[in-house]
């Protein structure tokens, strides 16, 4: 039997993070019933976002401009770099409002199990950026998982081998990040504490 457009819609929703078939059907029905109020604005917002979203060539963030708003912000410190695994981590740190430096998105963490090595991540661009920049501190804001910490260890070694790398202050998030904790799932207060107490 051929899949109807409604079936496709439900299947698309069901494939989104945090949604299953049940919530997918509820959302689809809500949109069908509220076409004017809910479906049309959603369609417009999605079409506009899809058309205008860019990957920042400096940090890897997604934004409507390249460079992104964070990289373009003249009020931010140019000597402070926060390295995160993904965009959701950047968002999580931004929500705290206490970090006023720049970011670098790795695109994941090293994982022997998943076959993710340095070449699959934005490691070379990070080293290039630090080499050409005037950073005094690099904050490795990676998850307190085995892979996250192994990645932080690896990056620390690589950063130290850069010219002047031994003068770099390389810090990690401190207390408050539970073992196995992904940044994204932490509340803002916990991230704030972890940032302030970095070492
Ligand atoms: Zn950027």
């Amino acid at each position: 039997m051929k899949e109807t457009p409604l079936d496709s819609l439900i299947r698309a929703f069901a494939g989104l993070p945090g949604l299953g078939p049940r919530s997918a059907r509820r959302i689809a029905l809500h949109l069908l019933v509220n076409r004017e109020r809910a479906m049309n604005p959603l369609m417009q917002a999605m079409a506009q976002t899809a058309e205008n979203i860019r990957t920042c060539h400096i940090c890897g963030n997604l934004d409507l401009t390249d460079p992104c708003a964070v990289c373009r912000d003249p009020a931010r410190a140019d000597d402070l770099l926060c390295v995160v695994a993904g965009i959701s981590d950047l968002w999580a740190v931004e929500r705290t409002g206490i970090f006023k430096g720049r970011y670098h998105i790795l695109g994941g963490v090293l994982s022997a199990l998943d076959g993710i090595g340095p070449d699959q991540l934005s490691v070379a661009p990070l080293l290039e950026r630090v080499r050409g920049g005037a950073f005094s501190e690099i904050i490795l804001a990676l998850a307190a998982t085995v892979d996250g910490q192994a990645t932080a260890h690896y990056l620390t070694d690589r950063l130290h081998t850069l010219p002047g790398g031994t003068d770099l202050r390389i810090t990690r998030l401190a207390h408050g990040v539970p073992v196995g904790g992904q940044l994204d799932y932490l509340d803002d207060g916990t991230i704030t504490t972890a940032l302030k107490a970095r070492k």
Side-chain angles (χ1 to χ4, degrees):
M1 204 167 71
K2 199 168 167 293
E3 191 177 57
T4 67
L6 181 56
D7 292 335
S8 318
L9 187 64
I10 293 171
R11 197 162 50 82
F13 281 134
L16 295 177
L19 296 184
R22 235 172 85 106
S23 30
R25 282 194 296 272
R26 280 177 53 200
I27 293 172
L29 180 60
H30 174 80
L31 291 175
L32 293 181
V33 173
N34 303 285
R35 284 185 300 284
E36 288 297 319
R37 189 163 55 81
M39 193 184 251
N40 291 341
L42 181 67
M43 276 165 49
Q44 277 175 23
M46 286 181 75
Q48 279 174 8
T49 307
E51 193 173 324
N52 296 310
I53 208 78
R54 305 276 177 272
T55 299
C56 175
H57 76 280
I58 299 174
C59 73
N61 191 15
L62 288 173
D63 202 350
L64 297 177
T65 55
D66 175 20
C68 73
V70 176
C71 288
R72 279 186 299 125
D73 186 352
R76 283 176 173 267
D78 283 320
D79 64 337
L80 203 55
L81 186 67
C82 182
V83 178
V84 290
I87 293 170
S88 60
D89 300 318
L90 185 158
W91 289 0
V93 176
E94 276 302 282
R95 277 200 306 272
T96 68
I98 68 155
F99 179 72
K100 292 294 175 207
R102 310 290 175 179
Y103 289 94
H104 189 88
I105 294 168
L106 282 178
V109 290
L110 297 173
S111 168
L113 210 61
D114 298 325
I116 299 174
D119 292 346
Q120 276 78 50
L121 303 174
S122 181
V123 171
L126 168 67
L127 297 173
E128 198 55 44
R129 199 176 162 194
V130 173
R131 187 183 291 131
F135 298 107
S136 60
E137 180 180 355
I138 315 286
I139 304 168
L140 302 174
L142 301 169
T145 57
V146 172
D147 284 345
Q149 291 313 298
T151 307
H153 209 87
Y154 172 81
L155 291 177
T156 303
D157 284 350
R158 293 294 304 268
L159 287 164
H160 273 151
T161 62
L162 293 174
T166 44
D167 296 334
L168 273 177
R169 188 163 173 249
I170 300 173
T171 55
R172 301 191 196 182
L173 295 187
H175 331 284
V177 180
V179 173
Q182 302 282 352
L183 250 53
D184 193 17
Y185 293 110
L186 300 179
D187 66 89
D188 300 352
T190 306
I191 298 176
T192 302
T193 310
L195 258 174
K196 282 184 176 159
R198 66 184 184 265
K199 58 197 171 186

